[in-house]
Amino acid sequence: MPISAPGNRAANRASAPATARSSAGRGAIAAPGSVERGGAPRGRSAQHGFTLIELMVVVLVIALASTAAVLAMPDPHGRVIDEAARFALRVRAARDGAIVTAQPTSVWVTPGGYGFDRWDGGRWVAMDDKPLKVAQWGRGTSVSIGDRVRVIFDTTGMADRPLSIPLLRERARATVTIGATGAVQVDG
């Protein structure tokens, strides 16, 4: 039966929630979804959008994630300390090779790159092993030495002389030091 039918008003008022009786008044029809009809309390609907605080929090989260991603990305040119460490490892491998093969080995350094030679048949022969091939310094790296410097490791691994090789890239600096004992150290 319709609500407005005579005789039904008292029955409808008795079954309606207390809030409907107090706010709707006698014979009033409540809006769909309202508290008066037994629905959820009115709050923010999907049509109202986001608050300014919610938008600012989202922007902050995106900014923090972007910052973390940028800081985690490696420099495309690499770091000068990484290049110095790579060079030092190759020098150590050449020194170890001199001891293992019982043949003197040398490392030569120029402003453009470096390489390794082995004493064979009374002359220096370029090493063709992959880690000991001739290598160029990375782009942007400068080395402040003379034209060409050579350090020779004898069959016991001792160097004929100590040498410090400073590597520079932009404002960063690293130094590879070859000691008289053949020890190789990177400072940077």
Side-chain angles (χ1 to χ4, degrees):
M1 280 193 217
I3 293 176
S4 62
N8 286 335
R9 287 187 184 150
N12 284 336
R13 257 184 294 175
S15 65
T19 55
R21 276 184 268 143
S22 63
S23 64
R26 189 166 207 203
I29 300 175
S34 67
V35 175
E36 290 85 10
R37 296 272 298 185
R42 285 194 175 245
R44 184 183 66 185
S45 70
Q47 296 174 357
H48 288 96
F50 297 103
T51 65
L52 181 61
I53 298 293
E54 291 170 330
L55 291 175
M56 290 174 65
V57 167
V58 170
V59 169
L60 177 69
V61 168
I62 291 171
L64 289 174
S66 299
T67 302
V70 167
L71 292 176
M73 292 173 56
D75 182 10
H77 303 297
R79 297 182 319 164
V80 72
I81 193 75
D82 294 337
E83 187 163 6
R86 189 172 29 256
F87 171 66
L89 286 173
R90 289 177 176 167
V91 171
R92 287 182 190 128
R95 175 186 177 265
D96 293 346
I99 296 169
V100 171
T101 62
Q103 288 183 309
T105 304
S106 75
V107 56
W108 53 264
V109 181
T110 67
Y114 58 93
F116 303 91
D117 297 330
R118 179 176 320 146
W119 187 256
D120 191 18
R123 63 186 179 99
W124 290 110
V125 177
M127 298 179 81
D128 57 359
D129 299 334
K130 184 175 181 179
L132 301 178
K133 286 185 175 182
V134 174
Q136 302 296 315
W137 297 115
R139 189 175 67 175
T141 301
S142 63
V143 178
S144 55
I145 58 169
D147 289 339
R148 183 177 173 127
V149 181
R150 183 186 296 265
V151 174
I152 300 170
F153 297 106
D154 65 14
T155 57
T156 63
M158 300 289 283
D160 67 334
R161 64 185 170 133
L163 178 65
S164 287
I165 306 159
L167 282 71
L168 306 166
R169 181 181 298 156
E170 295 174 3
R171 294 178 305 238
R173 177 186 176 101
T175 303
V176 178
T177 305
I178 302 171
T181 62
V184 182
Q185 182 179 346
V186 178
D187 297 316

